[in-house]
Amino acid sequence: MTARPAARSSARSARLATLLLMGVTAVWGSTFFLIRDLVVHVPSADFLAVRFAIAAVVMFAVFRRQTLALSRADLLTGIGLGVLYGAAQLLQTTGLEHTDASVSGFVTGTYVVLTPVFGALIFRDRIAPSTWVAVGLATAGLAVLSLRGLAVGYGEALTLASAALYALHIIGLGRFSRAHTATGLATVQAFVIALMCSVAAVPDGLTLPSDGGQWASLLYMALVAGAVALWAQTWAQSHLPATRAAIVMTLEPVFAAFFAVLAGGERLTARMLGGGALVLTAMYVVELLGRRTPETTAEQDPPAELLHHEV
């Protein structure tokens, strides 16, 4: 008699997690034209260091109790996840200096393919056929949105490495984050990312924004696209399989195109409409058709030692 209410509660949590993750991708998408303008004046590593330092300090002030309550194992998990994300950010940023932004966007988005592949290879996850269809549709949508020719070189190699790290981060969150540890894990990750980016920024000196508009952009990206988004992603992935989360996150370039047209002065094109339609179709496949043939993955079963927390 208790199984049905528990199943309904789990389904509601998954729907809320999906909506929250969609909101995160919308926020990320809104930052593209802001970052493009800001890094003209502030080097990428400096921007990342200041952004995540502010996010970390604010998150610790808000979530101090939850962060200090983390177990040693949770703390090590947060550090490991932060290293993955910080390294991915730095590799992606460096790669962007050596390749076109459109190519970088596509290659970074290949985490949608790498996530189920790594899950199957590392953890023996079994992925439903409908999910593989969604992965293919999302990848095609990214290609239509982003690619105008692709030559593989140094920048593309660095960006592909960052995509692999993003995929591992998504898998790690899906397996090790829990609703009751999400705030603490997110805070630890923010500190680790800030430290890594600060180390990368130090050799050339730290450059700060020079006017109010630049600081406003940076604070938005630190507080909303940094602190809130990192917490929301960590919490959402405690309720979603990694591959499903990766497919939801391919909405980011769709939102980026939307905001580029709405606020960045770009023109709406057939490529934007076609690529966006493919990504949204992928969302339909994984969210609706996937319910009829649910995924069976190892990540859906929490370790035995954690079961006493799930009351």
Side-chain angles (χ1 to χ4, degrees):
M1 291 178 65
T2 59
R4 232 176 250 175
R8 284 198 294 268
S9 175
S10 177
R12 282 195 299 270
S13 295
R15 284 194 293 272
L16 177 60
T18 299
L19 291 172
L20 195 59
L21 206 52
M22 289 174 65
V24 168
T25 64
V27 169
W28 286 341
S30 72
T31 65
F32 272 65
F33 70 94
L34 296 175
I35 293 174
R36 183 186 60 197
D37 294 338
L38 186 59
V39 296
V40 172
H41 308 283
V42 181
S44 297
D46 302 41
F47 152 69
L48 290 171
V50 176
R51 171 186 175 182
F52 283 103
I54 293 172
V57 170
V58 171
M59 291 175 76
F60 186 73
V62 176
F63 303 127
R64 180 176 180 275
R65 181 176 58 83
Q66 295 92 328
T67 304
L68 295 178
L70 290 176
S71 68
R72 184 172 182 273
D74 289 331
L75 181 62
L76 291 175
T77 296
I79 292 172
L81 291 170
V83 168
L84 286 174
Y85 197 91
Q89 287 271 311
L90 290 169
L91 283 172
Q92 182 185 11
T93 302
T94 305
L96 188 55
E97 296 173 2
H98 300 276
T99 188
D100 292 338
S102 59
V103 174
S104 175
F106 170 73
V107 177
T108 301
T110 58
Y111 65 70
V112 73
V113 178
L114 296 174
T115 297
V117 170
F118 287 167
L121 290 175
I122 299 171
F123 296 111
R124 309 288 185 186
D125 290 344
R126 294 188 296 277
I127 310 299
S130 60
T131 301
W132 285 115
V133 172
V135 166
L137 288 168
T139 305
L142 288 170
V144 172
L145 276 168
S146 306
L147 286 186
R148 292 168 179 81
L150 175 61
V152 178
Y154 178 68
E156 290 77 17
L158 290 178
T159 308
L160 184 60
S162 79
L165 292 178
Y166 281 131
L168 291 173
H169 181 260
I170 291 168
I171 291 171
L173 279 180
R175 296 191 70 86
F176 301 117
S177 65
R178 298 289 181 266
H180 67 280
T181 63
T183 51
L185 281 180
T187 303
V188 172
Q189 288 180 80
F191 273 106
V192 173
I193 297 165
L195 178 61
M196 293 180 67
C197 294
S198 296
V199 170
V202 162
D204 296 323
L206 188 64
T207 301
L208 298 175
S210 59
D211 60 42
Q214 292 174 21
W215 272 111
S217 294
L218 192 147
L219 287 173
Y220 169 74
M221 287 181 277
L223 300 178
V224 181
V228 174
L230 191 55
W231 165 80
Q233 183 189 1
T234 303
W235 184 88
Q237 285 208 240
S238 69
H239 297 280
L240 292 175
T243 301
R244 182 170 167 182
I247 292 170
V248 174
M249 284 190 280
T250 57
L251 284 172
E252 180 182 354
V254 178
F255 282 116
F258 171 77
F259 285 111
V261 171
L262 184 68
E266 294 191 19
R267 184 172 57 87
L268 183 65
T269 66
R271 292 177 66 94
M272 291 180 183
L273 292 172
L278 285 169
V279 172
L280 291 174
T281 302
M283 282 284 298
Y284 171 81
V285 170
V286 77
E287 285 298 313
L288 299 182
L289 300 186
R291 292 178 192 172
R292 302 174 190 172
T293 56
E295 291 181 68
T296 304
T297 70
E299 69 188 290
Q300 292 172 316
D301 300 320
E305 65 268 25
L306 294 175
L307 291 178
H308 68 279
H309 291 296
E310 307 300 327
V311 180

